[in-house]
Amino acid sequence: MITLAIFIQQLRKKHNFTQEFLASKIGISRPTYIQIEQGERDLTITEAKNLAEIFDISFEDLLMSNIPEREVIFEKKSKEKLSSNIQIRVTS
């Protein structure tokens, strides 16, 4: 199982955020943020909620180190050419 510290680091890299950016967004110093990514400091509830919002995932998914799966559905509206009538819905 992935640790919360590693999960947060992976999310940061996936979104191309710097440690400095995230630290400023959640109201802590960069050295303190680094401690979180290294597993040396726990997040406060407020910090965790802010990170979840920044990463656009639920608070619960952040705490469980879980990236929600997104389903892509292709729908054809009529019998015309498929390429001109595709709708894409992304649900989470």
Side-chain angles (χ1 to χ4, degrees):
M1 183 175 184
I2 189 170
T3 66
L4 180 58
I6 291 171
F7 183 64
I8 290 169
Q9 184 180 56
Q10 289 175 344
L11 285 172
R12 177 179 60 79
K13 289 178 180 180
K14 177 183 174 187
H15 287 84
N16 294 316
F17 294 146
T18 64
Q19 292 172 334
E20 185 69 37
F21 172 78
L22 287 177
S24 69
K25 285 299 218 180
I26 64 173
I28 59 175
S29 68
R30 182 172 177 262
T32 300
Y33 179 83
I34 290 170
Q35 289 177 333
I36 292 168
E37 280 196 2
Q38 293 176 345
E40 298 171 358
R41 179 184 178 276
D42 291 330
L43 288 166
T44 66
I45 291 173
T46 302
E47 291 165 352
K49 285 181 178 180
N50 288 340
L51 281 176
E53 186 176 324
I54 292 165
F55 293 135
D56 193 29
I57 62 174
S58 73
F59 176 68
E60 293 79 14
D61 282 334
L62 178 73
L63 295 183
M64 305 242 343
S65 302
N66 179 43
I67 297 177
E69 293 183 25
R70 299 191 187 266
E71 180 181 6
V72 177
I73 301 169
F74 293 93
E75 294 181 351
K76 185 175 175 184
K77 287 292 190 183
S78 69
K79 293 184 180 182
E80 295 176 19
K81 285 196 250 177
L82 182 62
S83 62
S84 63
N85 292 306
I86 294 178
Q87 285 188 352
I88 299 175
R89 289 185 303 168
V90 178
T91 59
S92 40

